[in-house]
Amino acid sequence: MVEVAQQNVKQATLDSSNSESQSRKLSVLAGTSKGLWVLESEQRIELEGFDITAIAPSNDGLWAIANHNSVWQRNLNGEWRKVASSENLRLHCLLPVDDTVLVGTSEAHLMRVVEGNMQIIDSFEQAEGRDEWYTPWGGLPDVRSLAQGTSGELYTNIHVGGILRSRDRGKSWQPTLDIHADVHEVRTVADRPGLVLAATAQGLAISQDGGDDWSFDRKNLHAIYARAINLSGDTILMSVSMGPSGSKAALYRRSLDQMGTFEKCEQGLPEWFSDNINTGCIATSGNIAGFATRDGQIFLSNDAGLTWEGIASGLGLINCLTLI
């Protein structure tokens, strides 16, 4: 049974800015194994019956991956249509770019949607170091997450293969972070040129120069295996656990500009979570932040992760979360 604290959702999403004149209502969108839950003053489910594994807003609507094999788009009128599908590859992540969308897949391919078809990006197939990509269990690597910088540069997270960058709209790709860092999510920040954040198996990786140089921060974390990351205002939010199995998972916050200041998020949260807070499951809009757990819970914060309140439970397996 779904349990949603509707009043809390409404109160928690009223103000996404420190300026009252710029306040606006937010919607909480959760991609689950049963469809896309939309939590506003009321709740509804869209794409019911589909396994929604990735969602990404754009200027002309919303994009989603359903059942690991198809890309869908919702227009500004709220109407969904299937845009493209793949028969042979599993679709993992997507990134709207200009008038198309990029899709990261199994076997470490990068594709773009063109006129209803999915086309492999050949330049990505030729990326330096590709032959060295791997997985710890011996399978083929995947494209796990995608991000775009303020100047249009593209970042692709290979699991396991580090972070690749393109500064020419995907015509060529260069490796940045060492592949053995085992990256789980890469993020850029709209108003911070050059800033790149990554959740890795070695803790937080951060670059201030677009990926040319990286530093790691693990201080004050109870474990260094990081799975998800985002920025709320000037506060980094990152999930960590003891490892892939998710034992003793927790969320931490840290000032963006102060190394070594991680502190565990505790107010309003359980001491530990039993599974990883996964890639794509921390969402932010200004100082409002939210995260979702694998067992169907959603928590929101109005103060960049200092205090939290549970707003939903029983939503089924949650794969991804966004605030719009």
Side-chain angles (χ1 to χ4, degrees), residues 27-28 36 86 105 132 141 152 154 219 237 244 265 268 294 309-310:
S27 298
V28 181
L36 178 67
S86 172
T105 78
E132 300 176 22
L154 302 173
K219 190 173 182 180
L237 298 173
C265 297
R294 298 282 286 176
E309 184 176 12

Side-chain angles (χ1 to χ4, degrees), residues 82-111:
K82 185 166 73 171
V83 177
S85 61
S86 172
E87 295 182 359
N88 301 319
L89 298 170
R90 289 173 64 86
L91 311 183
H92 293 313
C93 54
L94 46 76
L95 177 69
V97 176
D98 298 327
D99 57 351
T100 187
V101 63
L102 302 182
V103 183
T105 78
S106 60
E107 302 179 22
H109 299 297
L110 186 61
M111 308 182 80

Side-chain angles (χ1 to χ4, degrees), residues 24-291:
R24 61 182 176 88
K25 291 183 179 180
L26 292 176
S27 298
V28 181
L29 277 63
T32 79
S33 59
K34 301 176 182 178
L36 178 67
W37 279 100
V38 181
L39 308 181
E40 299 171 324
S41 56
E42 295 182 354
Q43 67 190 45
R44 66 182 185 276
I45 189 167
E46 300 179 3
L47 297 176
E48 188 170 6
F50 289 91
D51 187 8
I52 307 302
T53 54
I55 44 180
S58 66
N59 292 333
D60 54 359
L62 184 71
W63 295 85
I65 292 176
N67 292 344
H68 298 277
N69 63 12
S70 58
V71 177
W72 291 68
Q73 184 183 29
R74 188 181 74 179
N75 63 25
L76 296 177
N77 295 323
E79 301 165 332
W80 284 99
R81 67 183 181 96
K82 185 166 73 171
V83 177
S85 61
S86 172
E87 295 182 359
N88 301 319
L89 298 170
R90 289 173 64 86
L91 311 183
H92 293 313
C93 54
L94 46 76
L95 177 69
V97 176
D98 298 327
D99 57 351
T100 187
V101 63
L102 302 182
V103 183
T105 78
S106 60
E107 302 179 22
H109 299 297
L110 186 61
M111 308 182 80
R112 64 165 58 92
V113 175
V114 180
E115 297 180 351
N117 296 309
M118 300 192 66
Q119 299 180 353
I120 286 182
I121 297 177
D122 291 333
S123 60
F124 192 74
E125 303 292 303
Q126 308 303 319
E128 178 186 346
R130 185 181 182 92
D131 292 342
E132 300 176 22
W133 300 348
Y134 69 98
T135 57
W137 54 91
L140 294 172
D142 298 319
V143 174
R144 189 179 180 98
S145 65
L146 299 164
Q148 184 175 26
T150 57
S151 300
E153 62 272 25
L154 302 173
Y155 298 91
T156 306
N157 155 212
I158 311 302
H159 189 249
V160 175
I163 296 173
L164 272 70
R165 178 187 63 206
S166 175
R167 286 177 165 162
D168 53 14
R169 300 286 178 171
K171 295 179 182 178
S172 64
W173 296 86
Q174 304 80 40
T176 63
L177 188 63
D178 181 77
I179 68 172
H180 302 296
D182 191 0
V183 181
H184 299 121
E185 186 166 20
V186 60
R187 290 275 188 180
T188 54
V189 183
D191 59 351
R192 295 293 292 255
L195 178 64
V196 190
L197 307 172
T200 83
Q202 299 178 23
L204 167 68
I206 185 168
S207 174
Q208 300 283 358
D209 55 12
D212 289 337
D213 300 290
W214 293 88
S215 59
F216 285 83
D217 189 6
R218 312 174 184 92
K219 190 173 182 180
N220 298 332
L221 300 175
H222 79 280
I224 64 172
Y225 182 86
R227 201 68 170 264
I229 194 164
N230 216 326
L231 190 70
S232 181
D234 291 325
T235 300
I236 296 171
L237 298 173
M238 188 174 75
S239 67
V240 302
S241 74
M242 301 301 292
S245 64
S247 175
K248 291 183 72 174
L251 191 71
Y252 281 80
R253 64 195 303 270
R254 197 208 88 171
S255 171
L256 174 61
D257 299 315
Q258 292 183 307
M259 292 282 287
T261 58
F262 273 118
E263 58 180 4
K264 187 169 175 283
C265 297
E266 296 181 322
Q267 296 187 55
L269 298 179
E271 182 180 8
W272 305 109
F273 292 94
S274 61
D275 202 350
N276 282 299
I277 299 167
N278 210 4
T279 303
C281 287
I282 302 176
T284 63
S285 179
N287 284 328
I288 292 182
F291 73 92

